Amino acid sequence: MKTKNLETHKFLPSGEWEGFYCYTHSTTKHKMAIHLTFKKGKVSGSGTDDVNYFSWKGNYDLEAFVITMVKTYPSHTVNYKGDIDENGIWGSWNIGAHSSGGFHIWPKKQNADENENTLEQKVSLPKKIKKLTV
């Protein structure tokens, strides 16, 4: 990975990340393995989860500590919006008005159990959701 102009803020290290997403109506955590690059307000990367492989593209703002990303699978896209803090990135995802839920990702070196427990405390999930169909 080229390190020139990479983000230097400790909350957004480029490299291996991990985490999960869940559906609004479920406590089941669907794990993700991700590689992210943060550079000049832009995020890009790729990963895999229980749906398929995917790519990421988006923008982040370290004045407001927010991020928006689009996760692109071969079959569909998912919009992510989240907050950035010392525990990683957490927030909500949606596929239009049909499916939604929460997510939490963090740099791989951190303690996964501690990070997974923060989702319920930080993310207020919508009440109604339909399952993702691929």
Side-chain angles (χ1 to χ4, degrees), residues 2 10 16 23 28 33 53 83 85 87 94 102-103 108 110-111 114 119 121 124:
K2 292 183 179 183
K10 67 181 180 179
E16 298 302 315
Y23 292 93
T28 302
Y53 62 89
D83 294 305
D85 66 19
N87 296 308
N94 71 72
F103 78 97
K108 194 166 183 176
Q110 292 184 3
N111 182 333
E114 178 181 314
L119 178 71
Q121 297 169 5
S124 175

Side-chain angles (χ1 to χ4, degrees), residues 13-17 34-38 43-45 56 69 89 105:
S14 292
E16 298 302 315
W17 285 59
I34 309 160
H35 185 277
L36 294 174
T37 301
F38 298 93
V43 59
S44 62
W56 289 102
M69 299 181 289
I89 301 169
I105 60 174

Side-chain angles (χ1 to χ4, degrees), residues 18-61:
E18 61 188 344
F20 63 91
Y21 70 91
C22 59
Y23 292 93
T24 301
H25 67 285
S26 174
T27 59
T28 302
K29 296 173 181 169
H30 301 269
K31 292 185 178 186
M32 296 185 282
I34 309 160
H35 185 277
L36 294 174
T37 301
F38 298 93
K39 187 175 181 179
K40 296 183 177 182
K42 305 279 185 198
V43 59
S44 62
S46 60
T48 187
D49 60 23
D50 58 348
V51 174
N52 208 334
Y53 62 89
F54 55 81
S55 64
W56 289 102
K57 285 193 189 261
N59 300 294
Y60 63 92
D61 178 346

